[in-house]
Amino acid sequence: MRAALESIEKNQASIHVEVEEERVAEALEQAYRKIVKKTVVPGFRKGRVPRPILEARLGKEVLYQEALEILLEQAYREAVIETAIEPIDHPEIDVIQMEEGKPLIFNVKVEVLPEVKLGDNYKGVTAVIPEVKIGDDEVEAHLKLLQQRHARLVDAGDKAIDDGDVAVIDLETVVNGKVEQRLSGKDQIIEVGMAKFIPGFEGHLIDMKAGERKEFTLNLPSVFQYKDLEGKEAKFKVKVVAVKRKEYPDLDDEFARDVSEFSTLEELKEHLRKKLEETGQRQARRIFKERVVAKVVDDANVEIPEPLLKRQLNLEYSQFLQRLAMQRLNMDDYLRMVNKDKEALQRDLEERARRVVKTRLVLGAVAKAEGIKVTPEELAQEINDMAAQYNLDAEKLRADLEARDQIGAIEEDLLMEKVSDFLADNAVPLTEPENRQDETEAEVQDAQEGAAAEEEQGKDSGEGPSA
């Protein structure tokens, strides 16, 4: 087979392809064997009709069409490899010649990846890296979290319920004249002040004591875990079975030994400080990497192909709708909340899609320029990690991903991460300016808040208060 790249204009490649007559003859024979099995001709057993009679009865065009389907896909793939183009859309194929005893000739037009002009200094860009400072107050705050998570529930006797107490109640909820079992039950645990149940419910428990009963009515939220109950009026019948209070352990060496592998409280504090610093450093590195990539992308020039933009925009819109569904919001509610119209939302999504596409094109160009690739071992490790995360068999997961044609997407994500790391490793970090300190502290705060949760893993298995 011969494939000649004739031109690339405005990201559209034109290829001229010729397939040898021997392959055309073989494809026609395959087409005959396939069609004859499905054709019934009087006087012949099924599958035994001679080819000339089959052609006379159905017409040669039927065989030619079937042969084209056999040849075109494979020949197109070979042409892509031979001409080293990178298609991003479905090809337009124009068949010039398809005759027995002659080569198959066709032309292809297909959209390809555009040329990316990288900035002169994509290796060596400067970006601010957040400074991680862990103060004593942050260590103490995380120590308090550990203390709260290891609180015990003790009976408060005839104490009146107040914020911070835990009420054990028997609850009956009536909606539309019927007991709603999903919102009813014996010995229900309500931590007063945490607002984890129905808005306004906990306020009715304040000042109640063990053994007391109360009835009251509330409207269920307009966004609720049970969609069929949203906004409906509910009548609650409550009996307080018991009132419990939290008893916190003293922050001393014994506490350190109970919740960790350390012998003293000071050792535990030092461990927490190190975990906070490690988490903060990881977050600072992520922020730095994002800033570096943003600069490299901003410094590059590339024309965004319409097929890629449309594909990404569809993905952004689909993910946006999924997020709304998870929050039990509809489009109109969301637009009212953010004070936007549909046109403004569309512009926002399109801008995000454009940025995502440009970033991937630029990082892909860096990967080519620097010879960065994902190795089979790295891909296998990523799939093994995914399997471990979801408690799946790695081989079965890989087979499923291959069947759904998702291996390429995982490999591309790994490549983008490797290129981002490469750019960050070759960038020049700058000290945080004074006027950006508050912004940086806000950026790293979330990561630091997760350090205590990491500490809970190990000796403590994340147990909550125990009665």
Side-chain angles (χ1 to χ4, degrees):
M1 192 197 80
R2 292 182 299 169
L5 180 61
E6 297 186 328
S7 66
I8 297 182
E9 295 180 1
K10 295 183 178 181
N11 303 327
Q12 188 173 72
S14 296
I15 309 173
H16 181 77
V17 183
E18 293 188 14
V19 181
E20 303 88 341
E21 52 265 33
E22 292 82 6
R23 287 181 63 179
V24 174
E26 182 182 343
L28 284 168
E29 185 61 25
Q30 290 180 31
Y32 160 69
R33 291 197 298 269
K34 181 178 179 180
I35 293 174
V36 75
K37 292 178 182 178
K38 301 182 292 184
T39 304
V40 176
V41 176
F44 296 93
R45 284 188 297 167
K46 193 173 183 179
R48 297 290 185 175
V49 182
R51 180 172 165 181
I53 294 176
L54 185 71
E55 290 179 353
R57 185 174 184 85
L58 300 181
K60 287 188 176 183
E61 294 78 10
V62 175
L63 265 65
Y64 286 172
Q65 186 60 41
E66 187 69 36
L68 271 175
E69 291 183 11
I70 295 171
L71 279 174
L72 282 180
E73 184 177 353
Q74 183 178 2
Y76 170 67
R77 288 200 302 267
E78 293 174 11
V80 167
I81 295 172
E82 188 170 331
T83 57
I85 64 170
E86 296 179 275
I88 60 173
D89 203 4
H90 298 295
E92 294 179 12
I93 296 179
D94 180 23
V95 177
I96 306 301
Q97 176 176 282
M98 174 60 179
E99 295 181 32
E100 191 170 8
K102 295 182 179 180
L104 166 65
I105 301 175
F106 65 93
N107 292 328
V108 178
K109 287 186 178 181
V110 65
E111 192 94 9
V112 296
L113 282 177
E115 180 185 3
V116 178
K117 294 181 180 179
L118 296 170
D120 293 334
N121 64 336
Y122 68 86
K123 287 189 293 186
V125 302
T126 61
V128 171
I129 186 167
E131 183 179 3
V132 178
K133 293 181 180 179
I134 305 300
D136 292 341
D137 55 340
E138 293 174 79
V139 175
E140 292 295 332
H142 285 79
L143 194 61
K144 287 287 187 183
L145 285 176
L146 281 177
Q147 183 188 41
Q148 292 169 9
R149 289 170 183 172
H150 289 82
R152 293 177 63 250
L153 290 181
V154 296
D155 191 83
D158 62 353
K159 176 186 182 297
I161 296 172
D162 198 0
D163 276 345
D165 291 332
V166 174
V168 182
I169 65 172
D170 291 343
L171 175 64
E172 181 182 275
T173 304
V174 177
V175 180
N176 293 334
K178 297 181 180 179
V179 175
E180 177 51 63
Q181 298 295 342
R182 291 172 292 181
L183 300 178
S184 303
K186 299 280 189 180
D187 296 330
Q188 299 294 301
I189 304 297
I190 303 291
E191 190 169 353
V192 180
M194 297 299 289
K196 291 183 177 179
F197 190 39
I198 294 167
F201 183 91
E202 295 168 17
H204 286 275
L205 301 182
I206 297 295
D207 293 332
M208 290 185 70
K209 295 182 179 181
E212 292 186 352
R213 300 173 183 268
K214 181 185 283 190
E215 294 185 11
F216 53 91
T217 300
L218 292 172
N219 285 329
L220 298 175
S222 58
V223 177
F224 194 48
Q225 65 186 110
Y226 303 118
K227 192 172 181 63
D228 58 314
L229 301 181
E230 289 180 345
K232 292 187 177 180
E233 184 180 85
K235 183 178 181 180
F236 299 98
K237 297 180 181 180
V238 174
K239 177 187 176 183
V240 178
V241 177
V243 180
K244 296 181 180 290
R245 60 179 176 82
K246 289 183 179 180
E247 188 176 82
Y248 297 101
D250 293 332
L251 293 177
D252 53 19
D253 292 346
E254 183 179 352
F255 172 77
R257 289 190 291 271
D258 287 342
V259 304
S260 73
E261 60 191 37
F262 302 102
S263 301
T264 68
L265 186 64
E266 287 305 313
E267 289 176 339
L268 175 58
K269 285 183 178 180
E270 187 57 29
H271 172 73
L272 281 176
R273 187 184 301 276
K274 288 180 180 178
K275 296 290 287 184
L276 285 167
E277 288 175 347
E278 290 172 2
T279 304
Q281 293 294 348
R282 288 196 297 270
Q283 180 73 350
R285 163 75 177 185
R286 184 189 65 77
I287 293 169
F288 175 67
K289 186 162 63 174
E290 288 176 354
R291 291 172 176 175
V292 169
V293 169
K295 276 199 168 185
V296 172
V297 171
D298 288 339
D299 289 343
N301 288 317
V302 59
E303 182 180 338
I304 306 298
E306 193 64 30
L308 291 185
L309 179 59
K310 184 177 181 181
R311 200 175 305 155
Q312 185 63 37
L313 183 57
N314 288 338
L315 179 61
E316 295 290 338
Y317 189 72
S318 174
Q319 292 175 342
F320 169 74
L321 292 180
Q322 289 176 9
R323 290 193 295 270
L324 285 188
M326 290 176 63
Q327 298 174 54
R328 304 295 294 275
L329 292 173
N330 59 40
M331 180 68 75
D332 291 337
D333 289 338
Y334 172 80
L335 293 175
R336 279 195 299 270
M337 287 170 56
V338 298
N339 194 27
K340 288 184 178 180
D341 56 23
K342 290 184 179 180
E343 289 73 19
L345 173 63
Q346 180 72 15
R347 289 194 297 271
D348 290 346
L349 292 175
E350 185 170 337
E351 181 58 34
R352 173 172 169 77
R354 189 175 297 277
R355 184 70 181 181
V356 170
V357 172
K358 184 178 181 183
T359 298
R360 287 190 171 268
L361 289 173
V362 171
L363 294 185
V366 173
K368 286 182 187 177
E370 299 296 332
I372 302 172
K373 296 180 179 179
V374 174
T375 66
E377 294 77 16
E378 289 169 335
L379 181 58
Q381 184 60 53
E382 178 67 13
I383 294 174
N384 288 341
D385 291 345
M386 292 172 61
Q389 181 181 355
Y390 297 105
N391 196 27
L392 299 172
D393 179 80
E395 290 301 319
K396 290 182 179 178
L397 176 60
R398 186 180 190 114
D400 181 56
L401 291 170
E402 288 175 344
R404 290 186 285 143
D405 198 25
Q406 292 183 342
I407 293 291
I410 294 174
E411 188 172 4
E412 184 184 12
D413 287 341
L414 284 174
L415 180 62
M416 297 296 101
E417 193 63 27
K418 286 188 74 170
V419 176
S420 298
D421 285 330
F422 169 83
L423 293 173
D425 291 341
N426 285 274
V428 179
L430 301 177
T431 305
E432 189 73 34
E434 291 290 334
N435 60 358
R436 285 186 56 93
Q437 190 63 38
D438 291 342
E439 178 184 341
T440 297
E441 289 175 357
E443 287 178 305
V444 300
Q445 183 179 6
D446 289 343
Q448 293 175 352
E449 289 177 351
E454 295 180 16
E455 168 61 22
E456 290 284 80
Q457 300 175 7
K459 183 174 182 181
D460 172 49
S461 300
E463 297 179 5
S466 56

